[in-house]
Amino acid sequence: MKTILDFQDKKAKKEKISMVTCYDYTFARILAESDVDCLLVGDSLAMTMHGHKTTLNASVNMMALHTAAVVRGAGDKFVVGDLPFMSYRKGLTANMTYVEKIMKAGAHAVKLEGASGNIELVRHLLDSGVPVMGHLGLTPQSVNQLGGFKVQGRDEKAQKKIKEQALQLQDAGAFSVVLECVPSKLAKEITASLEIPTIGIGGGPDCDGQVLVLQDMLGMTPGFKPKFLKQYFNGFEAMKEAFNTYHQEVTEGKFPTEKESYS
Ligand code: KIV
């Protein structure tokens, strides 16, 4: 996928959209040669790349640095850059300065969490030529307000609110919306009610697309096994084994040999 028009097109053709988070040049190069549709430089990088407990520690400078690295490896993949915690709640001028940084780092669109208080900004971004992806349900930047990383939209009132927010984001011009950790039935209803595609993560099988955090899907985060996660590789063990083999060969004098040496 190369532009936001492809998102619309996929929804119209009922073709699923695949998105993976990516935070660096090396993985971007692999993903560039894969069939995955779209890369997200998620603010989850605060956790996966910098070891923080939540996404609240992601800053605009971090996001811009990682976005630029991803874009250098991503070929013609569509790259979405997350707006980090608080960076779009500071008044229009400041907000736009931060968005400018992410876009000038090479993102093709930005993603922001929640609808309440963001709708005017989404409209303004659209008028400024910046495509916006929404993010509803479990919005990790609000983890303290939500009382933890919990499934959202369990009761009728909460479901109504998420449905309304999805429509508000669509009306404001968002080109797609991530639905994180909501009951499948709710995600299905929202997906049916929207013209723009929904991208699920813990939203069940009926979203228009799916996103997973790269380290999680590659099995590099042992101990982290939420219900929605499927691991496609045992990366932690596979890489540990490679490191151990290297260590063993070095310590036993088996590497380097003549083959890896200059005459
Ligand atoms: O930052 C992130 O990784 C995300 C995904 C979970 C959608 O926002």
Side-chain angles (χ1 to χ4, degrees), residues 19 40 80 82 88 109-115 118-119 122 131-139 165-166 168-170 173-180 194 196-201 211:
M19 182 159 89
L40 169 67
V80 181
D82 254 345
Y88 46 101
V110 295
K111 177 166 79 59
L112 51 75
E113 295 185 6
N118 293 335
I119 295 302
V122 174
V132 179
M133 179 178 273
H135 185 156
L136 297 173
L138 170 54
T139 45
Q165 288 177 327
Q168 284 166 10
L169 283 167
Q170 171 174 275
F175 72 95
S176 64
V177 57
V178 168
L179 296 176
E180 179 163 354
L194 295 183
I196 58 173
T198 57
I199 314 279
I201 172 163
V211 56

mmCIF file of all heavy atoms in Angstrom, residues 19 40 80 82 88 109-115 118-119 122 131-139 165-166 168-170 173-180 194 196-201 211:
data_model
loop_
_atom_site.group_PDB
_atom_site.id
_atom_site.type_symbol
_atom_site.label_atom_id
_atom_site.label_comp_id
_atom_site.label_asym_id
_atom_site.label_seq_id
_atom_site.Cartn_x
_atom_site.Cartn_y
_atom_site.Cartn_z
ATOM 1 N N MET A 19 -0.929 -4.568 9.116
ATOM 2 C CA MET A 19 -0.012 -3.521 9.581
ATOM 3 C C MET A 19 0.840 -4.108 10.706
ATOM 4 O O MET A 19 0.362 -4.933 11.496
ATOM 5 C CB MET A 19 -0.831 -2.320 10.077
ATOM 6 C CG MET A 19 -0.014 -1.143 10.550
ATOM 7 S SD MET A 19 -0.964 0.418 10.543
ATOM 8 C CE MET A 19 -1.675 0.389 12.164
ATOM 9 N N LEU A 40 3.720 0.883 11.141
ATOM 10 C CA LEU A 40 3.372 1.886 12.150
ATOM 11 C C LEU A 40 4.574 2.109 13.059
ATOM 12 O O LEU A 40 5.033 1.168 13.720
ATOM 13 C CB LEU A 40 2.178 1.401 12.999
ATOM 14 C CG LEU A 40 1.882 2.224 14.253
ATOM 15 C CD1 LEU A 40 1.405 3.636 13.898
ATOM 16 C CD2 LEU A 40 0.844 1.529 15.138
ATOM 17 N N VAL A 80 3.021 5.093 9.003
ATOM 18 C CA VAL A 80 2.245 5.951 9.915
ATOM 19 C C VAL A 80 3.104 6.226 11.149
ATOM 20 O O VAL A 80 3.713 5.308 11.704
ATOM 21 C CB VAL A 80 0.939 5.242 10.366
ATOM 22 C CG1 VAL A 80 0.124 6.147 11.292
ATOM 23 C CG2 VAL A 80 0.103 4.834 9.151
ATOM 24 N N ASP A 82 3.189 7.637 15.071
ATOM 25 C CA ASP A 82 2.345 7.977 16.228
ATOM 26 C C ASP A 82 2.670 9.368 16.761
ATOM 27 O O ASP A 82 3.844 9.745 16.835
ATOM 28 C CB ASP A 82 2.600 6.972 17.352
ATOM 29 C CG ASP A 82 1.462 5.986 17.529
ATOM 30 O OD1 ASP A 82 0.354 6.229 16.991
ATOM 31 O OD2 ASP A 82 1.671 4.973 18.209
ATOM 32 N N TYR A 88 -0.303 16.327 21.313
ATOM 33 C CA TYR A 88 -1.394 16.929 20.532
ATOM 34 C C TYR A 88 -2.470 17.499 21.452
ATOM 35 O O TYR A 88 -3.632 17.635 21.061
ATOM 36 C CB TYR A 88 -1.981 15.907 19.535
ATOM 37 C CG TYR A 88 -2.270 14.537 20.104
ATOM 38 C CD1 TYR A 88 -3.570 14.168 20.458
ATOM 39 C CD2 TYR A 88 -1.256 13.607 20.286
ATOM 40 C CE1 TYR A 88 -3.828 12.916 20.976
ATOM 41 C CE2 TYR A 88 -1.518 12.348 20.812
ATOM 42 C CZ TYR A 88 -2.796 12.009 21.150
ATOM 43 O OH TYR A 88 -3.058 10.760 21.673
ATOM 44 N N ALA A 109 1.481 9.682 7.362
ATOM 45 C CA ALA A 109 0.268 9.983 8.129
ATOM 46 C C ALA A 109 0.640 9.937 9.608
ATOM 47 O O ALA A 109 1.679 9.387 9.968
ATOM 48 C CB ALA A 109 -0.815 8.938 7.837
ATOM 49 N N VAL A 110 -0.220 10.516 10.427
ATOM 50 C CA VAL A 110 0.000 10.415 11.876
ATOM 51 C C VAL A 110 -1.177 9.670 12.504
ATOM 52 O O VAL A 110 -2.260 9.609 11.933
ATOM 53 C CB VAL A 110 0.157 11.810 12.551
ATOM 54 C CG1 VAL A 110 1.407 12.506 12.061
ATOM 55 C CG2 VAL A 110 -1.086 12.665 12.364
ATOM 56 N N LYS A 111 -0.924 9.099 13.673
ATOM 57 C CA LYS A 111 -1.998 8.446 14.436
ATOM 58 C C LYS A 111 -2.106 9.130 15.786
ATOM 59 O O LYS A 111 -1.086 9.481 16.391
ATOM 60 C CB LYS A 111 -1.705 6.948 14.619
ATOM 61 C CG LYS A 111 -2.756 6.229 15.477
ATOM 62 C CD LYS A 111 -2.654 4.715 15.377
ATOM 63 C CE LYS A 111 -1.568 4.095 16.195
ATOM 64 N NZ LYS A 111 -1.649 4.356 17.653
ATOM 65 N N LEU A 112 -3.321 9.338 16.230
ATOM 66 C CA LEU A 112 -3.540 9.889 17.577
ATOM 67 C C LEU A 112 -4.629 9.107 18.290
ATOM 68 O O LEU A 112 -5.463 8.457 17.662
ATOM 69 C CB LEU A 112 -3.840 11.392 17.539
ATOM 70 C CG LEU A 112 -4.924 11.940 16.612
ATOM 71 C CD1 LEU A 112 -6.307 11.653 17.142
ATOM 72 C CD2 LEU A 112 -4.746 13.452 16.463
ATOM 73 N N GLU A 113 -4.573 9.142 19.616
ATOM 74 C CA GLU A 113 -5.480 8.337 20.442
ATOM 75 C C GLU A 113 -6.664 9.154 20.934
ATOM 76 O O GLU A 113 -6.485 10.286 21.415
ATOM 77 C CB GLU A 113 -4.708 7.765 21.644
ATOM 78 C CG GLU A 113 -3.627 6.782 21.227
ATOM 79 C CD GLU A 113 -2.941 6.114 22.409
ATOM 80 O OE1 GLU A 113 -3.358 6.318 23.567
ATOM 81 O OE2 GLU A 113 -1.974 5.376 22.163
ATOM 82 N N GLY A 114 -7.854 8.541 20.850
ATOM 83 C CA GLY A 114 -9.057 9.165 21.396
ATOM 84 C C GLY A 114 -9.692 10.143 20.420
ATOM 85 O O GLY A 114 -9.083 10.529 19.411
ATOM 86 N N ALA A 115 -10.921 10.531 20.742
ATOM 87 C CA ALA A 115 -11.641 11.488 19.888
ATOM 88 C C ALA A 115 -11.931 12.775 20.658
ATOM 89 O O ALA A 115 -11.776 13.877 20.117
ATOM 90 C CB ALA A 115 -12.936 10.859 19.389
ATOM 91 N N ASN A 118 -10.021 16.040 20.286
ATOM 92 C CA ASN A 118 -9.077 15.935 19.155
ATOM 93 C C ASN A 118 -9.713 16.235 17.803
ATOM 94 O O ASN A 118 -9.016 16.293 16.786
ATOM 95 C CB ASN A 118 -8.504 14.505 19.081
ATOM 96 C CG ASN A 118 -7.631 14.177 20.268
ATOM 97 O OD1 ASN A 118 -7.067 15.073 20.900
ATOM 98 N ND2 ASN A 118 -7.520 12.901 20.598
ATOM 99 N N ILE A 119 -11.029 16.390 17.796
ATOM 100 C CA ILE A 119 -11.729 16.463 16.509
ATOM 101 C C ILE A 119 -11.338 17.706 15.704
ATOM 102 O O ILE A 119 -11.091 17.617 14.497
ATOM 103 C CB ILE A 119 -13.264 16.391 16.735
ATOM 104 C CG1 ILE A 119 -13.624 15.010 17.319
ATOM 105 C CG2 ILE A 119 -14.035 16.647 15.452
ATOM 106 C CD1 ILE A 119 -13.205 13.812 16.472
ATOM 107 N N VAL A 122 -8.004 17.076 14.187
ATOM 108 C CA VAL A 122 -8.071 16.153 13.039
ATOM 109 C C VAL A 122 -8.510 16.927 11.787
ATOM 110 O O VAL A 122 -7.906 16.797 10.713
ATOM 111 C CB VAL A 122 -9.037 14.969 13.319
ATOM 112 C CG1 VAL A 122 -9.216 14.097 12.076
ATOM 113 C CG2 VAL A 122 -8.522 14.111 14.481
ATOM 114 N N PRO A 131 -2.795 13.237 6.621
ATOM 115 C CA PRO A 131 -3.774 12.176 6.895
ATOM 116 C C PRO A 131 -3.674 11.707 8.344
ATOM 117 O O PRO A 131 -2.577 11.599 8.895
ATOM 118 C CB PRO A 131 -3.369 11.045 5.942
ATOM 119 C CG PRO A 131 -2.466 11.674 4.932
ATOM 120 C CD PRO A 131 -1.791 12.815 5.627
ATOM 121 N N VAL A 132 -4.843 11.407 8.917
ATOM 122 C CA VAL A 132 -4.893 11.014 10.333
ATOM 123 C C VAL A 132 -5.535 9.640 10.492
ATOM 124 O O VAL A 132 -6.617 9.378 9.963
ATOM 125 C CB VAL A 132 -5.699 12.039 11.174
ATOM 126 C CG1 VAL A 132 -5.759 11.587 12.636
ATOM 127 C CG2 VAL A 132 -5.084 13.421 11.078
ATOM 128 N N MET A 133 -4.843 8.783 11.262
ATOM 129 C CA MET A 133 -5.409 7.497 11.680
ATOM 130 C C MET A 133 -5.846 7.666 13.130
ATOM 131 O O MET A 133 -5.083 8.190 13.953
ATOM 132 C CB MET A 133 -4.316 6.422 11.570
ATOM 133 C CG MET A 133 -4.732 5.035 11.989
ATOM 134 S SD MET A 133 -3.364 3.834 11.748
ATOM 135 C CE MET A 133 -3.607 3.351 10.055
ATOM 136 N N GLY A 134 -7.082 7.257 13.437
ATOM 137 C CA GLY A 134 -7.574 7.347 14.815
ATOM 138 C C GLY A 134 -7.200 6.087 15.584
ATOM 139 O O GLY A 134 -6.681 5.115 15.019
ATOM 140 N N HIS A 135 -7.447 6.103 16.878
ATOM 141 C CA HIS A 135 -7.125 4.948 17.734
ATOM 142 C C HIS A 135 -8.093 4.992 18.912
ATOM 143 O O HIS A 135 -8.054 5.930 19.711
ATOM 144 C CB HIS A 135 -5.660 5.076 18.196
ATOM 145 C CG HIS A 135 -5.155 3.906 18.985
ATOM 146 N ND1 HIS A 135 -3.805 3.590 19.067
ATOM 147 C CD2 HIS A 135 -5.776 2.981 19.753
ATOM 148 C CE1 HIS A 135 -3.642 2.528 19.828
ATOM 149 N NE2 HIS A 135 -4.824 2.141 20.276
ATOM 150 N N LEU A 136 -8.957 3.982 19.001
ATOM 151 C CA LEU A 136 -9.991 3.955 20.049
ATOM 152 C C LEU A 136 -9.964 2.622 20.795
ATOM 153 O O LEU A 136 -9.284 1.689 20.394
ATOM 154 C CB LEU A 136 -11.379 4.153 19.409
ATOM 155 C CG LEU A 136 -11.631 5.484 18.700
ATOM 156 C CD1 LEU A 136 -12.975 5.459 17.978
ATOM 157 C CD2 LEU A 136 -11.564 6.663 19.674
ATOM 158 N N GLY A 137 -10.771 2.555 21.868
ATOM 159 C CA GLY A 137 -10.797 1.357 22.712
ATOM 160 C C GLY A 137 -9.754 1.524 23.796
ATOM 161 O O GLY A 137 -9.741 2.527 24.513
ATOM 162 N N LEU A 138 -8.863 0.537 23.911
ATOM 163 C CA LEU A 138 -7.745 0.675 24.851
ATOM 164 C C LEU A 138 -6.737 1.637 24.218
ATOM 165 O O LEU A 138 -6.076 1.313 23.232
ATOM 166 C CB LEU A 138 -7.089 -0.682 25.119
ATOM 167 C CG LEU A 138 -5.762 -0.662 25.898
ATOM 168 C CD1 LEU A 138 -5.875 0.090 27.217
ATOM 169 C CD2 LEU A 138 -5.275 -2.070 26.157
ATOM 170 N N THR A 139 -6.688 2.831 24.772
ATOM 171 C CA THR A 139 -5.753 3.847 24.281
ATOM 172 C C THR A 139 -4.620 3.927 25.318
ATOM 173 O O THR A 139 -4.801 4.511 26.390
ATOM 174 C CB THR A 139 -6.475 5.195 24.106
ATOM 175 O OG1 THR A 139 -7.288 5.439 25.265
ATOM 176 C CG2 THR A 139 -7.367 5.182 22.882
ATOM 177 N N GLN A 165 -17.500 7.865 18.971
ATOM 178 C CA GLN A 165 -16.170 8.429 18.715
ATOM 179 C C GLN A 165 -15.650 8.014 17.337
ATOM 180 O O GLN A 165 -15.017 8.803 16.645
ATOM 181 C CB GLN A 165 -15.193 7.958 19.795
ATOM 182 C CG GLN A 165 -15.453 8.616 21.142
ATOM 183 C CD GLN A 165 -14.521 8.071 22.216
ATOM 184 O OE1 GLN A 165 -14.134 6.896 22.191
ATOM 185 N NE2 GLN A 165 -14.145 8.909 23.155
ATOM 186 N N ALA A 166 -15.924 6.764 16.966
ATOM 187 C CA ALA A 166 -15.476 6.280 15.648
ATOM 188 C C ALA A 166 -16.128 7.097 14.541
ATOM 189 O O ALA A 166 -15.468 7.510 13.575
ATOM 190 C CB ALA A 166 -15.812 4.795 15.502
ATOM 191 N N GLN A 168 -17.311 10.144 14.876
ATOM 192 C CA GLN A 168 -16.775 11.510 14.942
ATOM 193 C C GLN A 168 -15.437 11.608 14.200
ATOM 194 O O GLN A 168 -15.188 12.562 13.471
ATOM 195 C CB GLN A 168 -16.562 11.926 16.400
ATOM 196 C CG GLN A 168 -17.836 12.297 17.137
ATOM 197 C CD GLN A 168 -17.598 12.373 18.649
ATOM 198 O OE1 GLN A 168 -16.474 12.327 19.132
ATOM 199 N NE2 GLN A 168 -18.685 12.478 19.395
ATOM 200 N N LEU A 169 -14.596 10.603 14.416
ATOM 201 C CA LEU A 169 -13.284 10.625 13.743
ATOM 202 C C LEU A 169 -13.466 10.521 12.226
ATOM 203 O O LEU A 169 -12.806 11.221 11.461
ATOM 204 C CB LEU A 169 -12.411 9.469 14.253
ATOM 205 C CG LEU A 169 -11.789 9.679 15.636
ATOM 206 C CD1 LEU A 169 -11.213 8.378 16.176
ATOM 207 C CD2 LEU A 169 -10.705 10.755 15.608
ATOM 208 N N GLN A 170 -14.375 9.649 11.816
ATOM 209 C CA GLN A 170 -14.635 9.521 10.377
ATOM 210 C C GLN A 170 -15.156 10.839 9.811
ATOM 211 O O GLN A 170 -14.676 11.305 8.771
ATOM 212 C CB GLN A 170 -15.646 8.404 10.124
ATOM 213 C CG GLN A 170 -16.126 8.356 8.664
ATOM 214 C CD GLN A 170 -17.014 7.162 8.386
ATOM 215 O OE1 GLN A 170 -16.521 6.073 8.105
ATOM 216 N NE2 GLN A 170 -18.318 7.349 8.454
ATOM 217 N N GLY A 173 -12.642 13.350 9.182
ATOM 218 C CA GLY A 173 -11.775 13.097 8.030
ATOM 219 C C GLY A 173 -10.686 12.056 8.243
ATOM 220 O O GLY A 173 -9.837 11.867 7.369
ATOM 221 N N ALA A 174 -10.689 11.377 9.402
ATOM 222 C CA ALA A 174 -9.689 10.318 9.603
ATOM 223 C C ALA A 174 -9.828 9.279 8.483
ATOM 224 O O ALA A 174 -10.938 8.990 8.037
ATOM 225 C CB ALA A 174 -9.884 9.658 10.969
ATOM 226 N N PHE A 175 -8.682 8.711 8.041
ATOM 227 C CA PHE A 175 -8.754 7.763 6.920
ATOM 228 C C PHE A 175 -8.865 6.318 7.385
ATOM 229 O O PHE A 175 -9.114 5.408 6.588
ATOM 230 C CB PHE A 175 -7.561 7.930 5.959
ATOM 231 C CG PHE A 175 -6.246 7.439 6.511
ATOM 232 C CD1 PHE A 175 -5.787 6.164 6.229
ATOM 233 C CD2 PHE A 175 -5.472 8.264 7.313
ATOM 234 C CE1 PHE A 175 -4.587 5.707 6.738
ATOM 235 C CE2 PHE A 175 -4.263 7.814 7.836
ATOM 236 C CZ PHE A 175 -3.818 6.547 7.552
ATOM 237 N N SER A 176 -8.682 6.094 8.689
ATOM 238 C CA SER A 176 -8.858 4.744 9.250
ATOM 239 C C SER A 176 -8.804 4.872 10.763
ATOM 240 O O SER A 176 -8.413 5.924 11.293
ATOM 241 C CB SER A 176 -7.767 3.776 8.769
ATOM 242 O OG SER A 176 -6.517 4.207 9.244
ATOM 243 N N VAL A 177 -9.184 3.802 11.450
ATOM 244 C CA VAL A 177 -9.155 3.868 12.909
ATOM 245 C C VAL A 177 -8.746 2.524 13.494
ATOM 246 O O VAL A 177 -9.244 1.471 13.075
ATOM 247 C CB VAL A 177 -10.513 4.385 13.473
ATOM 248 C CG1 VAL A 177 -11.674 3.525 13.031
ATOM 249 C CG2 VAL A 177 -10.482 4.485 14.986
ATOM 250 N N VAL A 178 -7.782 2.596 14.409
ATOM 251 C CA VAL A 178 -7.348 1.391 15.139
ATOM 252 C C VAL A 178 -8.349 1.135 16.262
ATOM 253 O O VAL A 178 -8.747 2.057 16.975
ATOM 254 C CB VAL A 178 -5.923 1.591 15.731
ATOM 255 C CG1 VAL A 178 -5.585 0.483 16.731
ATOM 256 C CG2 VAL A 178 -4.888 1.644 14.620
ATOM 257 N N LEU A 179 -8.757 -0.128 16.413
ATOM 258 C CA LEU A 179 -9.623 -0.531 17.528
ATOM 259 C C LEU A 179 -8.842 -1.505 18.384
ATOM 260 O O LEU A 179 -8.570 -2.635 17.962
ATOM 261 C CB LEU A 179 -10.898 -1.205 17.006
ATOM 262 C CG LEU A 179 -11.833 -0.333 16.165
ATOM 263 C CD1 LEU A 179 -13.011 -1.161 15.641
ATOM 264 C CD2 LEU A 179 -12.331 0.872 16.963
ATOM 265 N N GLU A 180 -8.441 -1.051 19.567
ATOM 266 C CA GLU A 180 -7.574 -1.883 20.406
ATOM 267 C C GLU A 180 -8.352 -2.461 21.584
ATOM 268 O O GLU A 180 -8.995 -1.722 22.355
ATOM 269 C CB GLU A 180 -6.380 -1.050 20.916
ATOM 270 C CG GLU A 180 -5.458 -1.860 21.825
ATOM 271 C CD GLU A 180 -4.081 -1.242 22.032
ATOM 272 O OE1 GLU A 180 -3.764 -0.230 21.402
ATOM 273 O OE2 GLU A 180 -3.321 -1.808 22.852
ATOM 274 N N LEU A 194 -18.811 2.069 9.558
ATOM 275 C CA LEU A 194 -17.871 3.061 9.019
ATOM 276 C C LEU A 194 -17.588 2.847 7.535
ATOM 277 O O LEU A 194 -17.573 1.712 7.060
ATOM 278 C CB LEU A 194 -16.538 2.998 9.768
ATOM 279 C CG LEU A 194 -16.509 3.375 11.255
ATOM 280 C CD1 LEU A 194 -15.078 3.314 11.770
ATOM 281 C CD2 LEU A 194 -17.103 4.757 11.498
ATOM 282 N N ILE A 196 -14.653 4.158 6.489
ATOM 283 C CA ILE A 196 -13.196 4.031 6.551
ATOM 284 C C ILE A 196 -12.828 2.695 7.222
ATOM 285 O O ILE A 196 -13.618 2.165 8.009
ATOM 286 C CB ILE A 196 -12.547 5.205 7.325
ATOM 287 C CG1 ILE A 196 -13.102 5.306 8.758
ATOM 288 C CG2 ILE A 196 -12.736 6.503 6.566
ATOM 289 C CD1 ILE A 196 -12.401 6.324 9.632
ATOM 290 N N PRO A 197 -11.663 2.139 6.887
ATOM 291 C CA PRO A 197 -11.306 0.842 7.472
ATOM 292 C C PRO A 197 -10.946 0.903 8.954
ATOM 293 O O PRO A 197 -10.384 1.890 9.428
ATOM 294 C CB PRO A 197 -10.094 0.385 6.651
ATOM 295 C CG PRO A 197 -9.626 1.548 5.892
ATOM 296 C CD PRO A 197 -10.692 2.579 5.866
ATOM 297 N N THR A 198 -11.287 -0.180 9.656
ATOM 298 C CA THR A 198 -10.858 -0.351 11.044
ATOM 299 C C THR A 198 -9.662 -1.315 11.039
ATOM 300 O O THR A 198 -9.621 -2.267 10.260
ATOM 301 C CB THR A 198 -11.971 -0.966 11.904
ATOM 302 O OG1 THR A 198 -12.370 -2.223 11.327
ATOM 303 C CG2 THR A 198 -13.184 -0.049 11.985
ATOM 304 N N ILE A 199 -8.711 -1.042 11.904
ATOM 305 C CA ILE A 199 -7.539 -1.907 12.047
ATOM 306 C C ILE A 199 -7.558 -2.426 13.487
ATOM 307 O O ILE A 199 -7.434 -1.632 14.420
ATOM 308 C CB ILE A 199 -6.218 -1.126 11.833
ATOM 309 C CG1 ILE A 199 -6.263 -0.221 10.590
ATOM 310 C CG2 ILE A 199 -5.023 -2.072 11.806
ATOM 311 C CD1 ILE A 199 -6.022 -0.885 9.288
ATOM 312 N N GLY A 200 -7.717 -3.718 13.658
ATOM 313 C CA GLY A 200 -7.869 -4.263 15.004
ATOM 314 C C GLY A 200 -6.564 -4.732 15.623
ATOM 315 O O GLY A 200 -5.644 -5.170 14.935
ATOM 316 N N ILE A 201 -6.508 -4.609 16.939
ATOM 317 C CA ILE A 201 -5.467 -5.291 17.733
ATOM 318 C C ILE A 201 -6.209 -5.718 18.996
ATOM 319 O O ILE A 201 -6.519 -4.901 19.858
ATOM 320 C CB ILE A 201 -4.219 -4.427 17.999
ATOM 321 C CG1 ILE A 201 -3.264 -5.120 18.994
ATOM 322 C CG2 ILE A 201 -4.541 -3.003 18.445
ATOM 323 C CD1 ILE A 201 -1.841 -4.563 19.003
ATOM 324 N N VAL A 211 -3.268 -5.134 13.252
ATOM 325 C CA VAL A 211 -1.923 -4.650 13.550
ATOM 326 C C VAL A 211 -1.392 -5.422 14.752
ATOM 327 O O VAL A 211 -2.156 -5.769 15.658
ATOM 328 C CB VAL A 211 -1.908 -3.120 13.822
ATOM 329 C CG1 VAL A 211 -2.841 -2.708 14.940
ATOM 330 C CG2 VAL A 211 -0.478 -2.623 14.142
#
